[in-house]
Amino acid sequence: MTPRTTRVVCLVRRPDGEPVPGDFAVEERPLPSLGEGQLLVRNLYMSVDPSMRGRLESTEKHYTHNFTPGSPLDGRALGIVEESRCPAVPPGTYLRHQLGWRDWAVLDPADTEGAGRIDPRLAPLPTWLGLLGQTGFTAYVGLARIAELRPGDTVFVSAAAGAVGSAAGQFARLLGAERVVGTAGGPDKCALLVKEFGYDAAADYRAEPVRDALARLAPDGLDVYFDNVGGEQLVAALHALRTGGRVALCGMMSQFGGERRSAGIEQRSADINQLIQAVLKRLTLRGFIVRDHEDLRPEFERRVAEWLRSGRITARETVVDGLDNAAGALLSLLSGGNIGKMLVRLGDSVSVGGLV
């Protein structure tokens, strides 16, 4: 029987500083009737992403799709078509789409993410939201196109144990980097970067200044910096980069949060003054939004699928069960509680050939 309602995670109020559990609630909402050409999808997994932090803010004007108090959250998800009024997409099809943070979704085929259909026989379902999804695609685009990584480069990745960072370190090596170093929060994560994700060395940014760490880990300087953090780590990289170095600006998590924003104005002003390094060293700093680079997706999926099949890369996920725990998963992510991709598994996610 077609469900008439679905549970959704809603934003109750905008965070006052760092988000807290009371800023979110799980509510029952009506499910739209299935119209001509539409699909009813039962969500199996949903992605929890750092970019959601910016969408919670009312003042971050560059986020054009900010969340609205009283309305459901949304985000990337993977589900199975249970009912279809579109002949081209039959029931049983697995799709990635943008209506996560709910158990059920009614969507148009055009709403699916990128190459929306996925083949669960090629890789486990969670991998299609991680290394083979937008997370891995972000790492690939940032290295291959934005930073123009070249064989022999020395590469630095911040937030290296996160979803994008753990992918970027592995991709950098396979794209020809000679040395890959990263930063993470805590000695356990740093050890994991070297043991599992192919980094040559890693530093705990909580234990020593990043600038000192880079002088130790990359004494001959950097060619590429993949920036997930901004702030102190970007400044440290500017000083460590060699002449002609390249920076892929992927995220600025150090700038989010009301308390950090008000307390850090003077520090950020000082950070901006360090940009003289870009002039002196003729550096290239380029920001990017991954959705602008869809033309690279076929190449990315072909190469990464082969790396996965051959065992040359490792897919790691931190999986939280249940929509009721989704907000907690987001808060955990924002405080560094994940290794690799953070996902929420919904309901009775089915097993497909043992790949779920």
Side-chain angles (χ1 to χ4, degrees):
M1 181 179 296
T2 301
R4 295 184 178 180
T5 63
T6 183
R7 295 190 312 148
V8 300
V9 179
C10 294
L11 180 64
V12 175
R13 60 186 179 232
R14 294 203 186 279
D16 181 14
E18 294 303 315
V20 297
D23 295 329
F24 309 92
V26 177
E27 300 179 4
E28 197 85 15
R29 294 291 180 94
L31 194 65
S33 299
L34 202 62
E36 193 63 36
Q38 291 187 316
L39 309 168
L40 176 66
V41 175
R42 176 166 57 91
N43 287 333
L44 303 175
Y45 288 90
M46 66 185 206
S47 176
V48 184
D49 300 301
S51 61
M52 297 184 71
R53 181 64 185 90
R55 297 181 65 194
L56 297 173
E57 303 276 354
S58 60
T59 56
E60 300 296 332
K61 301 302 183 183
H62 293 293
Y63 283 85
T64 57
H65 301 292
N66 283 8
F67 298 125
T68 303
S71 296
L73 304 184
D74 62 70
R76 289 188 292 277
L78 185 152
I80 185 170
V81 177
E82 297 286 6
E83 186 176 337
S84 173
R85 298 191 65 184
C86 174
V89 186
T93 302
Y94 288 85
L95 296 175
R96 290 177 300 189
H97 61 88
Q98 295 294 330
L99 283 180
W101 296 81
R102 66 202 71 198
D103 289 320
W104 294 83
V106 171
L107 62 146
D108 299 319
D111 293 332
T112 58
E113 172 200 316
R117 296 194 197 199
I118 65 103
D119 186 345
R121 296 169 297 181
L122 298 180
L125 291 179
T127 308
W128 290 97
L129 287 176
L131 274 182
L132 276 173
Q134 210 77 336
T135 296
F137 191 39
T138 299
Y140 188 85
V141 167
L143 292 169
R145 174 167 287 175
I146 306 303
E148 299 179 340
L149 191 150
R150 303 160 190 165
D153 278 347
T154 295
V155 178
F156 165 43
V157 181
S158 57
V164 174
S166 60
Q170 296 182 87
F171 293 174
R173 174 75 65 202
L174 291 166
L175 291 170
E178 182 175 319
R179 183 167 177 80
V180 185
V181 301
T183 51
D188 291 344
K189 285 187 176 181
C190 289
L192 191 65
L193 292 180
V194 176
K195 180 180 180 181
E196 189 163 333
F197 295 132
Y199 282 81
D200 292 289
D204 180 358
Y205 69 85
R206 298 170 180 166
E208 66 176 316
V210 176
R211 192 166 173 180
D212 293 347
L214 290 178
R216 176 171 56 83
L217 300 182
D220 296 326
L222 305 170
D223 300 294
V224 168
Y225 172 42
F226 193 105
D227 182 32
N228 289 306
V229 176
E232 175 200 359
Q233 303 209 39
L234 175 57
V235 170
L238 291 174
H239 285 274
L241 282 157
R242 298 170 177 147
T243 299
R246 292 93 67 202
V247 179
L249 298 168
C250 178
M252 294 280 175
M253 288 304 295
S254 64
Q255 295 187 14
F256 294 130
E259 183 178 337
R260 278 177 289 181
R261 183 165 42 244
S262 60
I265 292 175
E266 290 185 6
Q267 180 60 53
R268 288 203 304 277
S269 178
D271 292 348
I272 290 173
N273 291 337
Q274 303 302 311
L275 283 172
I276 187 61
Q277 296 296 319
V279 177
L280 298 176
K281 298 180 180 179
R282 283 78 88 192
L283 305 177
T284 300
L285 285 75
R286 184 178 174 190
F288 72 103
I289 301 296
V290 69
R291 64 174 175 268
D292 298 333
H293 301 275
E294 280 295 320
D295 61 297
L296 269 186
R297 192 178 291 272
E299 172 190 313
F300 154 74
E301 290 191 347
R302 182 177 65 253
R303 297 185 80 174
V304 175
E306 175 54 35
W307 291 339
L308 279 166
R309 280 193 297 270
S310 64
R312 300 175 72 188
I313 54 176
T314 298
R316 277 290 297 267
E317 295 97 19
T318 299
V319 181
V320 173
D321 281 308
L323 196 68
D324 291 325
N325 297 316
L330 175 59
L331 301 185
S332 176
L333 171 80
L334 297 177
S335 64
N338 63 300
I339 299 294
K341 180 67 181 174
M342 176 69 87
L343 298 171
V344 174
R345 181 164 45 205
L346 299 172
D348 55 343
S349 296
V350 297
S351 177
V352 181
L355 297 177
V356 182

